[in-house]
Amino acid sequence: MPSIRDFMSSDHRHCDDLFAAVEAALEHAQAERLPAAQAAFASFATAIEAHFTAEETLLFPAFEEASGMRFGPTAVMRDEHEQMREQIRLAGDALAAGSADDYAGEAETLLILMQQHNVKEEGILYPMCDRQLAAGAEQLVGQIAGCMSGAGA
């Protein structure tokens, strides 16, 4: 079983790939691109929400319990999740309205937010989780995997 950092970082890459698929769909012929981009975006939105949910319901509470830090890095990550959820909503609304240009602007902001967020999680929080949760990491990673797959990720 991979470490928490490895497992969660791998899921970041998975979400990144799904996000990139939206842009790839928008590069197709005009008549085909919007429905394909909307479908790709729905897959991305589902996967990233499953990632956020697994962190917020399983990983973060376990870390907070083990470390005693309830208002530290996990609080910052939850706030960033909310910012990204709003940006995902804006990007999805732009696609739903048929505006690839508006989507591009919202997606650029979302990409920056995701990149900054992932660097903090992968470089700081996940290693802290690996240290604090080492004894139960295998079971926790299994629960997180189940939560993500149960949400359609």
Side-chain angles (χ1 to χ4, degrees):
M1 187 65 76
S3 68
I4 293 167
R5 179 183 183 189
D6 290 346
F7 182 82
M8 298 303 288
S9 296
S10 176
D11 197 59
H12 282 169
R13 301 296 82 75
H14 172 69
C15 291
D16 291 346
D17 291 345
L18 292 172
F19 188 63
V22 181
E23 186 171 329
L26 287 172
E27 294 173 0
H28 285 82
Q30 188 69 21
E32 303 165 5
R33 71 184 192 155
L34 202 52
Q38 290 166 337
F41 189 81
S43 295
F44 159 74
T46 298
I48 200 164
E49 183 56 40
H51 182 94
F52 292 163
T53 298
E55 287 180 335
E56 293 169 355
T57 63
L58 296 168
L59 181 60
F60 294 174
F63 173 78
E64 291 164 349
E65 181 68 29
S67 69
M69 287 191 271
R70 300 197 191 302
F71 301 103
T74 53
V76 173
M77 296 301 103
R78 283 185 180 97
D79 287 344
E80 291 181 6
H81 287 176
E82 288 308 310
Q83 291 172 350
M84 287 184 284
R85 283 180 172 116
E86 176 62 12
Q87 203 59 45
I88 291 164
R89 184 190 65 76
L90 292 171
D93 288 351
L95 274 181
S99 178
D101 289 340
D102 288 345
Y103 171 79
E106 301 299 350
E108 184 176 347
T109 301
L110 179 57
L111 178 62
I112 292 166
L113 290 173
M114 289 188 313
Q115 288 172 335
Q116 292 172 344
H117 179 81
N118 291 355
V119 165
K120 287 182 260 187
E121 283 188 336
E122 292 173 17
I124 299 167
L125 181 59
Y126 295 159
M128 291 172 72
C129 289
D130 279 329
R131 287 189 298 274
Q132 290 289 326
L133 302 169
E138 186 173 335
Q139 180 181 0
L140 182 59
V141 167
Q143 291 173 330
I144 290 168
C147 179
M148 289 177 180
S149 66

